[in-house]
Amino acid sequence: NRPARQYLQYARDMLASRYLEAAANYARQAFEAALRGGLELKSIKVAYKRNPKDHKLQDHLDALEAWTKEEATKEAKYKPILNKLNMLKNIVMNPYSHPDAPNIPAREIQDAIDAVEALIKELGKK
């Protein structure tokens, strides 16, 4: 997923430059792009909403989680990645993608970047 990979690179660059809020924001954008691209690639359906802006990150994440539960092997591959992303979404990517986020731990942003990379790799497998 090119957009997701590009956002991840931006996140890495911002992290290296110590622009932590920007790094967290790009990690979230990479996560969103990876989910949208992965759902399309795997032909996973998401409930229709007339206004595309009404689709939330959680809608896409829920659809992917439901799809993984269709087969034990899929669930075994994706569950650790999705558990980590759920946690990091709540403690890094959501709160720290907004201006003036307090005390952003660089290690947690790196963990978010790594987790999104793991998702992209898994979604890219046949």
Side-chain angles (χ1 to χ4, degrees):
N1 187 309
R2 284 180 155 207
R5 290 192 184 282
Q6 187 62 55
Y7 287 133
L8 274 183
Q9 187 56 54
Y10 293 154
R12 288 184 191 102
D13 293 346
M14 293 296 104
L15 187 59
S17 299
R18 305 298 297 163
Y19 291 113
L20 301 181
E21 290 171 0
N25 190 15
Y26 279 121
R28 181 186 169 95
Q29 288 181 53
F31 184 28
E32 291 173 354
L35 275 175
R36 284 191 307 273
L39 294 178
E40 183 178 347
L41 181 67
K42 302 293 186 185
S43 300
I44 300 169
K45 296 181 178 165
V46 178
Y48 174 78
K49 293 187 180 178
R50 178 172 281 174
N51 184 349
K53 292 181 181 183
D54 289 339
H55 278 281
K56 305 294 182 212
L57 177 65
Q58 193 62 48
D59 296 332
H60 294 100
L61 193 54
D62 291 345
L64 180 60
E65 287 177 338
W67 174 79
T68 66
K69 292 179 181 178
E70 293 173 1
E71 297 173 17
T73 54
K74 281 195 289 193
E75 188 173 20
K77 288 181 201 174
Y78 282 91
K79 190 171 184 169
I81 297 168
L82 294 176
N83 285 345
K84 187 162 196 157
L85 283 167
N86 263 314
M87 178 189 64
L88 292 166
K89 173 183 66 80
N90 293 329
I91 63 172
V92 176
M93 292 185 275
N94 280 352
Y96 296 147
S97 66
H98 301 289
D100 302 321
N103 303 319
I104 300 173
R107 181 68 241 164
E108 289 180 0
I109 296 170
Q110 183 62 56
D111 288 346
I113 291 168
D114 294 344
V116 173
E117 181 68 36
L119 178 65
I120 291 170
K121 285 181 183 175
E122 194 59 47
L123 286 169
K125 293 178 182 176
K126 298 273 181 194

